[in-house]
């Protein structure tokens, strides 16, 4: 039976969605939760720790007797903590997903989608997420379709979210992501969404980065740099902040080497690091050919 009272986890969820991870952790002591709500609370808290890079804390605290959603979150922490864990995590995910008793758990499917999206195996990710069922799964589908350059399918997912709850934080974020992907006149709409978030919530790295990317698309690189430096003050190791600062600095004619070096150290698998390495190899080969 559906609950008619207020949602006890609304604030916690909202903090997590906008990237206010420490606030989510700090305000997670919610009294009188049902057993299911307590598990959801714990998954959000541990995912917040993962977002802050505290992988080992999550790995240490979730034991083998924990509920399925928490086991899935532990696998995500293991996956992100070391490249050496990838094969083991993917094998474990397939085992859990193949279990008829728990395989359809929405958090398990969400974590599978996140892991396979990281692997750039988008078709495998969609195998587990495309059926939807939660706003988070639909939002992840939007992200996956954008990465596949299928904004038409992303828009269909967004419409499902809008029909369910047009004002939901994830619906608004997904709308902004899609507007950024489509480009053109939609960039201004995306900027206004991020601006609205920044006025109603605390400023977080994802929101600041969203505004900054909009600014760069519109040619406002000075404003973008200001936003990105504010984001960097909040999290000096955030991959998207560092990557966006590299791009922004290049457009402003400013040195970007330090940001790229930070990105290489903290996120060696980032796409921009790979592209920079490829460019360096091509340059080196060209120099050798001339020499």
């Amino acid at each position: 039976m559906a609950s008619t009272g207020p949602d006890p986890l609304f604030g916690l969820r909202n903090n997590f969605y906008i990237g206010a991870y420490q606030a989510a952790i700090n305000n997670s002591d919610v009294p009188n939760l049902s057993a299911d709500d307590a598990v959801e609370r714990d998954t959000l808290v541990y995912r917040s720790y993962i977002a802050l890079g505290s992988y080992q804390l999550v790995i240490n605290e979730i034991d083998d007797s924990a509920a399925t959603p928490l086991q899935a979150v532990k696998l995500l922490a293991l996956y992100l903590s070391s490249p050496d864990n990838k094969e083991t995590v993917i094998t474990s995910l397939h085992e859990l997903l193949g279990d008829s008793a728990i395989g359809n758990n929405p958090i398990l499917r969400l974590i599978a989608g996140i892991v396979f999206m990281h692997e750039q195996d988008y078709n495998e990710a969609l195998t587990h997420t495309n059926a939807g069922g939660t706003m988070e799964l639909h939002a992840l589908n939007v992200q996956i379709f954008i990465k596949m350059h299928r904004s038409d399918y992303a828009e269909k997912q967004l419409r499902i979210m809008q029909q369910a709850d047009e004002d939901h934080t994830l619906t608004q974020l997904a709308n902004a992501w899609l507007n950024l992907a489509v480009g053109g006149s939609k960039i201004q709409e995306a900027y206004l969404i991020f601006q609205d978030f920044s006025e109603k919530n605390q400023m977080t790295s994802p929101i600041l980065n969203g505004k900054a990317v909009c600014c760069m698309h519109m040619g406002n690189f000075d404003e973008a740099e200001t936003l990105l430096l504010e984001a960097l003050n909040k999290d000096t190791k955030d991959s998207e902040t560092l990557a966006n600062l590299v791009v922004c600095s290049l457009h402003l004619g400013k040195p970007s080497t330090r940001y790229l070096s930070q990105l290489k150290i903290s996120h060696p698998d980032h796409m921009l690091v790979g592209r920079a390495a490829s460019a360096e190899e091509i340059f080196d080969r060209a120099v050798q050919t001339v020499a």
Side-chain angles (χ1 to χ4, degrees):
M1 188 173 72
S3 173
T4 55
D7 180 357
L9 296 178
F10 176 83
L12 178 56
R13 270 195 223 99
N14 206 55
N15 278 328
F16 177 77
Y17 295 153
I18 65 170
Y21 303 118
Q22 193 60 55
I25 294 165
N26 293 347
N27 296 289
S28 61
D29 189 13
V30 184
N32 304 318
L33 291 177
S34 68
D36 287 345
D37 282 347
V39 170
E40 184 182 355
R41 185 266 315 276
D42 291 345
T43 62
L44 288 165
V45 168
Y46 284 126
R47 288 171 65 196
S48 295
Y49 276 117
I50 289 172
L52 293 172
S54 299
Y55 308 128
Q56 201 58 48
L57 179 148
V58 177
I59 294 165
N60 291 344
E61 289 196 7
I62 298 176
D63 61 33
D64 293 341
S65 64
T68 299
L70 291 169
Q71 295 294 343
V73 170
K74 182 176 183 176
L75 287 176
L76 179 62
L78 283 164
Y79 173 83
L80 294 173
S81 66
S82 170
D84 296 339
N85 294 333
K86 285 185 179 182
E87 286 187 22
T88 305
V89 167
I90 289 170
T91 299
S92 298
L93 273 175
H94 279 304
E95 288 175 0
L96 292 174
L97 290 160
D99 186 331
S100 59
I102 59 173
N104 201 39
N105 181 276
I107 295 295
L108 174 60
R109 292 193 292 123
L110 180 77
I111 298 301
I114 292 169
V115 167
F116 289 115
M117 186 172 73
H118 272 276
E119 290 289 299
Q120 298 181 27
D121 190 347
Y122 303 127
N123 288 326
E124 179 68 21
L126 288 168
T127 299
H128 308 295
T129 64
N130 201 34
T134 68
M135 295 298 272
E136 271 206 277
L137 281 164
H138 288 302
L140 184 60
N141 285 336
V142 170
Q143 289 182 305
I144 293 169
F145 285 128
I146 288 172
K147 287 183 177 292
M148 296 173 75
H149 306 290
R150 291 307 304 262
S151 58
D152 51 340
Y153 284 115
E155 187 172 357
K156 289 178 182 176
Q157 290 292 318
L158 177 60
R159 283 178 188 160
I160 294 170
M161 297 176 75
Q162 288 171 331
Q163 288 168 2
D165 187 349
E166 191 168 12
D167 296 325
H168 195 287
T169 298
L170 286 176
T171 305
Q172 294 298 311
L173 285 172
N175 196 0
W177 301 333
L178 182 57
N179 285 338
L180 270 173
V182 172
S185 62
K186 293 289 186 181
I187 298 296
Q188 182 65 29
E189 293 180 31
Y191 180 85
L192 292 173
I193 292 171
F194 288 121
Q195 179 64 26
D196 188 53
F197 272 119
S198 65
E199 290 172 357
K200 293 179 179 177
N201 305 276
Q202 70 177 90
M203 284 289 228
T204 63
S205 287
I207 301 303
L208 288 163
N209 271 275
K211 286 180 70 177
V213 171
C214 291
C215 288
M216 286 194 282
H217 275 285
M218 294 187 289
N220 301 331
F221 293 100
D222 287 321
E223 183 182 350
E225 183 185 38
T226 300
L227 292 164
L228 290 169
L229 290 174
E230 185 179 346
L232 193 66
N233 283 334
K234 293 180 180 295
D235 184 353
T236 57
K237 294 182 179 180
D238 182 70
S239 62
E240 293 313 300
T241 303
L242 291 168
N244 286 330
L245 274 166
V246 171
V247 175
C248 189
S249 297
L250 289 170
H251 279 279
L252 288 169
K254 294 183 177 182
S256 61
T257 309
R258 181 173 294 174
Y259 300 129
L260 185 58
S261 297
Q262 287 177 266
L263 189 62
K264 285 178 180 177
I265 293 166
S266 56
H267 302 277
D269 294 331
H270 194 278
M271 180 177 64
L272 192 65
V273 173
R275 286 181 178 176
S278 297
E280 286 172 7
E281 288 174 13
I282 292 167
F283 178 77
D284 289 342
R285 283 200 298 271
V287 169
Q288 288 169 4
T289 302
V290 173

